[in-house]
Amino acid sequence: MSMTVENQLADRTRWRPELCSIAKTLDLLSTKTTFLVLRECFYGTSRFEDFIDRVPTSAPALSRALKQLASAHIVTRVPYRDPGTRARDEYRLTAAGEDLLPVVMSLSLWGNKYLHNGSPPLSFVDARTGQPVRVCVTKDSDLSEARSSDIEIRANFTLD
Amino acid sequence: MSMTVENQLADRTRWRPELCSIAKTLDLLSTKTTFLVLRECFYGTSRFEDFIDRVPTSAPALSRALKQLASAHIVTRVPYRDPGTRARDEYRLTAAGEDLLPVVMSLSLWGNKYLHNGSPPLSFVDARTGQPVRVCVTKDSDLSEARSSDIEIRANFTLD
DNA sequence: CCGTATCCTGATAGATACTG
DNA sequence: CAGTATCTATCAGGATACGG
């Protein structure tokens, strides 16, 4: 990977950090908790109590992370009502949020490869065929892009 | 995206967070500065003084970020000597570090799309053909994966 | 019981000063 | 100039308490 206008580019991204998409995106996903809440969204979690059960954090931190993700329009609040209870909101990925799938998946796949000696705790497979799903960098334009609804997560560890 | 063993899986990742590859990878890339230093590595930066010029951070924070990346074996120190100066080290991506390209690129591409109204400050293209390079999630196994050395970064903004 | 505001504590960044 | 130690300020996280 090399630069077209090497020195100038380097200086510009230094002095005008608002031009760096990576920095701006990280500002929205500022904390580790926010990333893990986002992960949970892809795992299908949508309700406050379920996030609390599944993400190792406190209620105030969860509240802050959800507010952050909502103000960035990565999740949106959707009203629901369980029988016999008052109306509540659940948190659903927006289209923009769904587009963060490569970020979440590539973090997971890298960790699987380098931090678990190739025996991944979770794996991502095509929901119909069971084929493994990968994240790749390519210039090919004629490949079939998987949406998160096509993907199934398999647990590769045994339960006690 | 749905769960095979939904409830059990959720509980396990909650109570045994060491099974979550995302959390473990984020621990290595803990801070925003670490991400931006990693970004600079992909842009070709390798020397302390150049990181200082190009990443908006302080020398102590840079030192900490490089140490963190080195201990995670994402970068490695390589000796060099400029004429008339003492020997120094530069910081180069390892193979594991190169494999973080999809993480960095997908963060950048998402920001380009959603935070810059589709007019990206930087774009990633094939170094030979100039075709845009993308990050995608797919089950196709027969596509040509781009390595970071095949990719060129183009600046789409004018210089003062 | 769901969710948030408040307060307090611990981790992390940057300013400064220093060594090789 | 490369890199680190120290110190302080800032910021994210959790315990608690509180409103719907």
Side-chain angles (χ1 to χ4, degrees), chain A residues 33-47 50-56 62 91 93 104 122 153, chain B residues 1 3 6 9-11 13-14 20 22:
Chain A
T33 298
T34 313
F35 267 98
L36 295 183
V37 170
L38 179 64
R39 172 203 74 182
E40 276 305 313
C41 291
F42 283 108
Y43 290 176
T45 302
S46 65
R47 301 187 176 186
D50 293 327
F51 285 110
I52 279 293
D53 286 341
R54 298 168 190 178
V55 177
L62 172 61
Y91 304 86
L93 288 170
V104 172
L122 301 184
I153 300 170
Chain B
M1 192 136 69
M3 303 293 245
E6 191 149 348
L9 177 55
D11 289 349
T13 55
R14 166 67 183 84
C20 177
I22 299 171

Side-chain angles (χ1 to χ4, degrees), chain A residues 3 9 40 84 125 132 136 143:
Chain A
M3 301 294 242
L9 177 55
E40 276 305 313
V125 300
C136 71
L143 46 78

Side-chain angles (χ1 to χ4, degrees), chain B:
Chain B
M1 192 136 69
S2 64
M3 303 293 245
T4 307
V5 285
E6 191 149 348
N7 290 327
Q8 297 95 323
L9 177 55
D11 289 349
R12 300 297 282 176
T13 55
R14 166 67 183 84
W15 295 115
R16 289 171 56 189
E18 77 277 11
L19 288 176
C20 177
S21 286
I22 299 171
K24 292 179 70 169
T25 304
L26 288 173
D27 284 339
L28 303 183
L29 304 174
S30 50
T31 76
K32 183 183 165 188
T33 297
T34 313
F35 269 97
L36 296 183
V37 170
L38 180 63
R39 171 204 73 181
E40 276 306 313
C41 291
F42 283 109
Y43 290 176
T45 302
S46 64
R47 299 185 178 188
F48 197 92
E49 64 181 330
D50 293 327
F51 285 111
I52 279 292
D53 285 341
R54 298 168 190 178
V55 177
T57 191
S58 63
L62 172 61
S63 181
R64 288 189 288 256
L66 288 169
K67 198 169 293 186
Q68 168 103 357
L69 290 169
S71 74
H73 302 102
I74 292 169
V75 302
T76 184
R77 299 170 75 120
V78 178
Y80 76 95
R81 180 193 292 265
D82 278 342
T85 69
R86 69 173 169 84
R88 302 185 191 287
D89 286 340
E90 58 183 11
Y91 304 86
R92 293 272 175 201
L93 288 170
T94 63
E98 296 264 351
D99 274 351
L100 285 168
L101 177 63
V103 175
V104 172
M105 255 189 81
S106 57
L107 283 169
S108 182
L109 293 174
W110 190 91
N112 285 347
K113 180 170 179 182
Y114 290 104
L115 304 176
H116 287 103
N117 296 312
S119 63
L122 301 183
S123 47
F124 302 86
V125 300
D126 183 274
R128 273 193 308 280
T129 67
Q131 284 177 286
V133 175
R134 305 179 305 139
V135 176
C136 70
V137 175
T138 184
K139 62 180 167 37
D140 289 356
S141 50
D142 59 342
L143 47 78
S144 66
E145 185 132 18
R147 307 196 60 257
S148 76
S149 55
D150 305 326
I151 298 175
E152 186 174 281
I153 300 170
R154 293 251 169 99
N156 300 317
F157 47 87
T158 57
L159 306 169
D160 291 336

Side-chain angles (χ1 to χ4, degrees), chain A residues 5 10 16 30 33 37 40 58-59 76 79 86 101-102 104 114 118 132 145:
Chain A
V5 284
R16 289 171 56 190
S30 49
T33 298
V37 170
E40 276 305 313
S58 63
T76 186
R86 68 173 170 84
L101 177 62
V104 172
Y114 290 104
E145 185 131 19

Side-chain angles (χ1 to χ4, degrees), chain A residues 35-138:
Chain A
F35 267 98
L36 295 183
V37 170
L38 179 64
R39 172 203 74 182
E40 276 305 313
C41 291
F42 283 108
Y43 290 176
T45 302
S46 65
R47 301 187 176 186
F48 197 93
E49 65 181 329
D50 293 327
F51 285 110
I52 279 293
D53 286 341
R54 298 168 190 178
V55 177
T57 191
S58 63
L62 172 61
S63 182
R64 287 188 290 256
L66 287 170
K67 197 170 294 186
Q68 167 102 357
L69 290 169
S71 73
H73 302 102
I74 292 169
V75 302
T76 186
R77 299 169 74 120
V78 178
Y80 75 95
R81 180 194 291 266
D82 279 343
T85 69
R86 68 173 170 84
R88 301 185 191 288
D89 285 339
E90 59 183 10
Y91 304 86
R92 292 275 175 200
L93 288 170
T94 63
E98 296 264 352
D99 275 351
L100 285 167
L101 177 62
V103 175
V104 172
M105 255 190 81
S106 57
L107 282 169
S108 182
L109 293 174
W110 191 91
N112 285 347
K113 181 170 178 182
Y114 290 104
L115 304 176
H116 287 102
N117 295 312
S119 63
L122 301 184
S123 46
F124 302 86
V125 300
D126 183 275
R128 272 193 310 278
T129 67
Q131 284 177 286
V133 175
R134 304 179 305 139
V135 176
C136 71
V137 176
T138 184

